[in-house]
Amino acid sequence: MSEKQTSVEAQTVSAAHHVVNDFSITVATVNGSGSQTSNLTILRAIFKMGVPVSGKNLFPSNIQGLPTWYTIRVSKDGFLARRDVHEIVISLNPASFAQDLADVDPGGVFLYADDIRMPIERKDISVYPMPVKSIVKDSDAPINLRDYVANMVYVGVLAWVLNIDLEKIYQALSFHFKGKTKPIDLNYGVVKTSFDWASQNLVKQDPYHLEPMNLTEGYIMADGNTAAAIGSIYGGVQFAAWYPITPATSLAESLVEYLGILRKDTESNQKNTYVVLQAEDELAAIGMTVGAGFSGLRAMTSTSGPGLSLMAEFAGLAYFAEVPIVVWDVQRVGPSTGLPTRTAQGDLTFVNFIGHGDTQQIILIPGSVNECFEFGWKAFDIAERMQMPVFVLSDLDFGMNQWMTQPFQYPDTPMDRGKILWEADLDRIEGKWGRYLDVDGDGIPYRTVPGNRHPRAAYFARGTGHDENARYSEDKDVWNKLLGRLKRKYETARHYVPKPIVENMQGAHVGIIAYGSTDPAVQEARHLLAQDGQKTGYLRLRALPFTSEVDDFIRTHDHVYVVEMNRDGQLHQLLKIEYPQYALKLISHACTDGLPLTARFVREAIDSKEAK
């Protein structure tokens, strides 16, 4: 096929309809090729054109050279969930070429590097070859950078195909390279050359177009790990210990970056007012965090499922010794590399009961990048108020992908340090205070922190059996009293955790409960179901323990579908434990394939079951 030729069938498809701002783009490259810069450039350029857009990196965390994909969802209606339809596919990887070609939706577009000498027999799509090597060879790029700037060729050709504003591409490059002229101009030069080549050598036959809108005004692009880090800083984090693990590493790296900007003591010669330590492993990281939390610092760590397993014992210690800490779990499929480092929601039941013996933990579950920021600071308030660990469950999709989001808002309430006794407080107390004494009936005792100089401030912390005055005891009545108070404290937490977001429809008998990054898919599925005449109520869970809103929601719907990204329906299990009277109403709808959830998955399941 010559560069000026396209199939007759593709021309017929193109003439039949005109698709504007409503399609998906998939870029197929190899791990370590530097394509992330190009993909984010496309994403940000479309965003700057005012068009709602989301991007998802479907990469395996493994050795360089294996296949990787990046998908971009363009939606004039503002839907941001992944779609499993590939209207536009860009292929630069011979290893995945045949599958990439087969994945193109009929009537779609296939752009490929013309040095890949493989047959293209499909007649129902538009095909555009790209002379990647020749354009890069003729560019000013140094030899050692050519493999990286080669990705800018598809940026330029795609810009011609879709009519992406080149000025917006330049702005996106400027943002990525932080205004550094040399790399901006080098990459933009390849983009412009490729755009010009396409305009002179290709004939557009596909139906896909981008047109400016104004639907992104007032929004920013951000990833959840960065949002969590900034939120933690605004929450007053003073200590963080961590160990590298995909997909949580960038959370700690963002802490280091932004703490260095935001947390300097200007009155003491620009000294840091924080400590961030990379520990030798996850066990050490949480151990340091517990020590810092006991010392009165706002302390946190971040990890993913495999690291969380190593943290279980110290999490149990913090629970029984009643030490406030924050643990961010950026969830993934499982241990090892490759597929296991894709997105999932498989840690819910593990975290709920983490520790040894009878424990139930407080869990916050952000449902947007903006909530990653909000829960970053709110987790510290809850941890100190409740004097126990608070786990925040994000996932790879939120943590590492760019999302449209509202700008972050400064905390709207004063910092809550909880029941801390200072010197003046102890002076007002008649007699001896008890570290683990519940004087208010809410299960939460009062505490002091090291550095309090009052002679009655000290106590010996206990993770084992202890009485109200922190004295070691193996008496069964003392132990049962302690467990009862900890249970009472967990009940108190229901009044402090974020309440679920409930969206009802008049006359809806079907309900959906979901959490975390499944929200965009559920929202879109509800829209599609409503078009089919199927009304649904929706509760997005934001925390455990459950609050009264959950009970009310299940009670007022005939069927409730529990949507989540794991194999066994973990939230479904916990709901049945909490509300056994509603067990027959609750229907598990779980999926774990390592990919962000789609609206089609949610819609088809409810359609098929409700039709019976």
Side-chain angles (χ1 to χ4, degrees):
M1 180 182 295
S2 71
E3 294 171 347
K4 280 286 186 178
Q5 290 178 325
T6 56
S7 68
V8 173
E9 289 85 350
Q11 293 181 43
T12 303
V13 169
S14 174
H17 62 293
H18 197 63
V19 182
V20 179
N21 298 347
D22 190 19
F23 48 83
S24 290
I25 304 166
T26 299
V27 181
T29 56
V30 296
N31 222 2
S33 66
S35 59
Q36 185 76 336
T37 300
S38 302
N39 299 331
L40 291 178
T41 297
I42 296 169
L43 185 77
R44 289 192 178 277
I46 297 172
F47 174 76
K48 289 177 180 293
M49 290 177 65
V51 183
V53 64
S54 64
K56 301 189 183 300
N57 198 3
L58 310 177
F59 70 96
S61 176
N62 50 27
I63 61 173
Q64 183 172 331
L66 291 183
T68 184
W69 295 266
Y70 191 86
T71 67
I72 296 174
R73 169 81 183 273
V74 179
S75 172
K76 59 182 175 56
D77 298 314
F79 296 124
L80 302 179
R82 181 182 70 91
R83 293 175 68 241
D84 49 9
V85 176
H86 308 272
E87 287 95 346
I88 301 171
V89 175
I90 302 168
S91 182
L92 278 75
N93 183 8
S96 63
F97 185 89
Q99 185 59 54
D100 296 333
L101 177 61
D103 285 342
V104 183
D105 200 50
V109 180
F110 188 66
L111 298 87
Y112 71 101
D114 65 0
D115 58 290
I116 301 177
R117 307 295 184 180
M118 294 187 180
I120 300 177
E121 298 178 351
R122 291 191 61 176
K123 304 299 183 182
D124 60 340
I125 60 175
S126 299
V127 178
Y128 301 127
M130 302 179 295
V132 175
K133 288 188 174 180
S134 63
I135 288 178
V136 173
K137 183 179 179 181
D138 293 339
S139 73
D140 295 330
I143 294 177
N144 63 319
L145 295 179
R146 288 182 179 177
D147 287 343
Y148 296 101
V149 299
N151 296 302
M152 289 296 162
V153 174
Y154 68 75
V155 177
V157 175
L158 185 68
W160 175 83
V161 171
L162 296 179
N163 196 32
I164 302 175
D165 188 337
L166 289 181
E167 176 59 27
K168 303 304 183 186
I169 288 179
Y170 188 88
Q171 293 173 9
L173 287 169
S174 182
F175 177 89
H176 182 83
F177 290 109
K178 299 180 179 179
K180 297 177 182 177
T181 303
K182 188 173 181 179
I184 295 170
D185 290 345
L186 173 62
N187 284 273
Y188 183 73
V190 176
V191 172
K192 184 63 168 62
T193 299
S194 303
F195 181 93
D196 292 341
W197 176 90
S199 64
Q200 296 165 12
N201 293 275
L202 299 178
V203 175
K204 182 173 173 64
Q205 300 294 339
D206 65 273
Y208 301 102
H209 298 267
L210 276 168
E211 294 180 2
M213 302 179 74
N214 60 358
L215 297 183
T216 62
E217 185 175 349
Y219 286 83
I220 62 173
M221 295 291 293
D223 64 88
N225 282 352
T226 299
I230 298 174
S232 299
I233 294 169
Y234 279 84
V237 64
Q238 296 163 296
F239 180 90
W242 65 291
Y243 184 76
I245 184 172
T246 302
T249 295
S250 61
L251 198 161
E253 291 173 339
S254 293
L255 272 177
V256 173
E257 178 182 358
Y258 288 98
L259 279 167
I261 298 170
L262 299 171
R263 294 287 292 279
K264 298 280 188 179
D265 186 350
T266 56
E267 296 181 0
S268 60
N269 200 23
Q270 294 292 315
K271 289 185 178 179
N272 295 333
T273 59
Y274 62 89
V275 173
V276 179
L277 290 175
Q278 181 177 331
E280 60 266 36
D281 54 32
E282 290 89 349
L283 185 64
I286 193 172
M288 295 174 185
T289 303
V290 172
F294 171 76
S295 299
L297 301 181
R298 288 203 149 186
M300 65 176 288
T301 185
S302 58
T303 189
S304 192
L308 204 62
S309 299
L310 295 176
M311 295 182 176
E313 185 174 3
F314 268 121
L317 171 65
Y319 175 86
F320 282 108
E322 299 180 65
V323 177
I325 63 171
V326 172
V327 181
W328 275 82
D329 174 21
V330 188
Q331 297 170 95
R332 67 190 216 183
V333 171
S336 190
T337 58
L339 175 64
T341 55
R342 295 191 178 184
T343 196
Q345 294 176 321
D347 295 343
L348 186 62
T349 51
F350 176 55
V351 173
N352 187 67
F353 301 113
I354 196 171
H356 303 99
D358 294 305
T359 64
Q360 273 186 285
Q361 304 289 355
I362 295 174
I363 301 173
L364 306 187
I365 313 172
S368 66
V369 168
N370 200 280
E371 281 188 355
C372 287
F373 171 86
E374 178 188 347
F375 292 179
W377 63 264
K378 192 166 285 185
F380 285 116
D381 282 358
I382 297 172
E384 291 209 285
R385 169 55 54 182
M386 302 309 302
Q387 296 180 31
M388 62 185 293
V390 169
F391 294 84
V392 189
L393 266 59
S394 178
D395 60 34
L396 184 148
D397 191 16
F398 274 159
M400 296 187 69
N401 288 326
Q402 294 287 321
W403 291 78
M404 276 179 55
T405 183
Q406 295 283 349
F408 307 141
Q409 299 296 315
Y410 193 85
D412 56 1
T413 57
M415 189 180 294
D416 184 358
R417 297 302 310 272
K419 298 182 179 182
I420 294 184
L421 298 175
W422 305 103
E423 287 87 347
D425 300 315
L426 290 170
D427 279 335
R428 287 192 293 268
I429 295 176
E430 296 181 4
K432 189 176 182 181
W433 73 285
R435 168 62 183 99
Y436 297 112
L437 177 64
D438 179 11
V439 298
D440 299 323
D442 58 5
I444 308 171
Y446 287 81
R447 65 179 175 126
T448 60
V449 296
N452 187 320
R453 298 184 180 184
H454 198 284
R456 295 203 306 270
Y459 68 93
F460 192 81
R462 292 286 187 182
T464 54
H466 52 262
D467 66 12
E468 294 169 336
N469 295 305
R471 295 175 301 203
Y472 177 74
S473 173
E474 294 187 19
D475 184 274
K476 63 181 178 61
D477 293 329
V478 171
W479 178 246
N480 284 327
K481 189 175 183 179
L482 168 61
L483 291 181
R485 181 178 62 77
L486 292 174
K487 184 70 173 179
R488 188 161 62 252
K489 184 166 74 166
Y490 186 78
E491 292 300 316
T492 299
R494 299 183 196 273
H495 302 291
Y496 289 96
V497 298
K499 296 183 181 299
I501 303 297
V502 180
E503 300 175 16
N504 286 316
M505 281 187 180
Q506 187 69 31
H509 300 288
V510 173
I512 302 172
I513 295 179
Y515 59 98
S517 66
T518 62
D519 180 64
V522 173
Q523 293 285 12
E524 185 177 355
R526 293 185 69 222
H527 172 77
L528 297 172
L529 287 165
Q531 290 182 331
D532 296 338
Q534 177 66 67
K535 297 179 179 180
T536 59
Y538 177 36
L539 182 145
R540 178 167 65 81
L541 190 72
R542 300 200 297 164
L544 274 73
F546 301 123
T547 61
S548 59
E549 289 81 3
V550 178
D551 185 302
D552 294 341
F553 183 84
I554 301 173
R555 177 173 47 81
T556 55
H557 289 86
D558 295 338
H559 302 129
V560 178
Y561 293 85
V562 185
V563 177
E564 50 192 319
M565 294 190 300
N566 53 62
R567 186 192 66 184
D568 297 328
Q570 296 181 17
L571 177 59
H572 180 252
Q573 294 174 19
L574 295 177
L575 287 168
K576 288 197 297 182
I577 292 173
E578 184 81 9
Y579 307 108
Q581 69 273 29
Y582 301 138
L584 296 180
K585 285 188 174 187
L586 296 166
I587 303 169
S588 178
H589 190 45
C591 171
T592 177
D593 57 7
L595 302 176
L597 208 64
T598 66
R600 177 187 292 184
F601 173 80
V602 180
R603 175 194 186 186
E604 289 182 350
I606 294 176
D607 263 343
S608 62
K609 291 180 181 178
E610 290 302 312
K612 293 180 181 179

